[in-house]
Amino acid sequence: AQSVAQPEDQVNVAEGNPLTVKCTYSVSGNPYLFWYVQYPNRGLQFLLKYITGDNLVKGSYGFEAEFNKSQTSFHLKKPSALVSDSALYFCAVNYGNMLTFGGGTRLMVKP
Amino acid sequence: EAQVTQNPRYLITVTGKKLTVTCSQNMNHEYMSWYRQDPGLGLRQIYYSMNVEVTDKGDVPEGYKVSRKEKRNFPLILESPSPNQTSLYFCASSWTSVSPYNEQFFGPGTRLTVL
């Protein structure tokens, strides 16, 4: 069975500083990995995905994620955080016909 | 506008009173799915549908039913709701399920409270 872990419930960062939101996964075979973002009172929005190829994946709103097969990780990163990036972030792995999500990490960016 | 819609957005009901949450998408997507979101647990998949008349259980199907009679609609049915089904529910859809890595489009959510 596949699983996703987001070890941090909350990440605090100052505006303008780099941010990292961590994700590790467990799945047999090749992983298809995703990051989604949820703003208050909204549904989830797709940010980026890793299917194959380059380990650094670029997505929406300046976010990127680094796939590391040996560490089974897919950390979300951004070079310079904005207050508007404050939201709930979910990592997910697609296996078969199902999508399994991590517990979510709340990102708080302070001015 | 391409979107996934859910109704109602908010619902308060009592134990045992049957309810249906509707979900509709206008993107001609084959794949549709229902999730529930609970604090600290992320989203958990309830049921999914690969196409019309094809549905399958997710991780937490107990107490729920679904149907897929039309491509655009995927209602979630709680025939006898219980308080442990109090949650935030999301419907989602994506392109052909042949590819396992198509991103999903989510509806705005339905907040259900069962008293």
Side-chain angles (χ1 to χ4, degrees):
Chain A
Q2 67 278 11
S3 65
V4 178
Q6 295 181 241
E8 302 156 316
D9 291 336
Q10 182 162 317
V11 170
N12 298 309
V13 64
E15 188 174 31
N17 283 1
L19 69 88
T20 298
V21 182
K22 296 179 180 178
C23 171
T24 59
Y25 67 90
S26 174
V27 64
S28 56
N30 293 323
Y32 301 119
L33 297 158
F34 298 78
W35 276 101
Y36 285 84
V37 60
Q38 184 180 30
Y39 297 102
N41 300 315
R42 302 284 296 276
L44 277 72
Q45 298 177 29
F46 168 77
L47 270 182
L48 50 80
K49 64 183 177 184
Y50 172 82
I51 305 302
T52 187
D54 290 342
N55 289 339
L56 187 64
V57 179
K58 294 189 182 298
S60 306
Y61 312 121
F63 283 93
E64 57 190 25
E66 186 172 11
F67 171 69
N68 188 316
K69 188 173 184 178
S70 62
Q71 296 185 5
T72 61
S73 67
F74 189 54
H75 300 333
L76 181 70
K77 300 182 179 184
K78 189 174 182 181
S80 179
L82 300 172
V83 172
S84 57
D85 292 330
S86 298
L88 189 57
Y89 290 82
F90 291 98
C91 182
V93 61
N94 188 314
Y95 185 77
N97 298 315
M98 292 178 55
L99 196 60
T100 298
F101 286 84
T105 298
R106 186 165 300 282
L107 174 65
M108 299 291 290
V109 182
K110 299 183 179 179
Chain B
E1 179 189 357
Q3 60 182 346
V4 178
T5 58
Q6 296 178 226
N7 283 291
R9 295 289 311 279
Y10 301 90
L11 179 60
I12 301 175
T13 189
V14 295
T15 299
K17 186 176 181 180
K18 181 179 179 180
L19 66 91
T20 299
V21 183
T22 64
C23 172
S24 183
Q25 51 91 7
N26 62 0
M27 296 169 279
N28 202 35
H29 284 167
E30 291 184 357
Y31 183 94
M32 297 187 74
S33 183
W34 277 103
Y35 300 87
R36 59 177 291 173
Q37 182 181 7
D38 302 290
L41 297 178
L43 279 77
R44 292 177 292 169
Q45 198 159 17
I46 303 171
Y47 270 95
Y48 63 92
S49 170
M50 305 282 280
N51 212 324
V52 175
E53 301 292 0
V54 181
T55 63
D56 210 343
K57 296 178 180 179
D59 290 324
V60 288
E62 293 77 19
Y64 304 95
K65 285 179 58 177
V66 293
S67 67
R68 186 91 182 273
K69 300 187 184 305
E70 304 169 282
K71 197 171 187 178
R72 63 183 293 127
N73 296 323
F74 190 45
L76 179 68
I77 302 158
L78 286 72
E79 294 203 325
S80 184
S82 62
N84 64 11
Q85 293 178 298
T86 293
S87 187
L88 180 58
Y89 291 85
F90 288 101
C91 180
S93 69
S94 66
W95 296 111
T96 175
S97 55
V98 171
S99 298
Y101 43 78
N102 292 304
E103 58 266 32
Q104 295 191 15
F105 294 78
F106 283 79
T110 295
R111 185 166 294 281
L112 172 65
T113 301
V114 183
L115 302 175

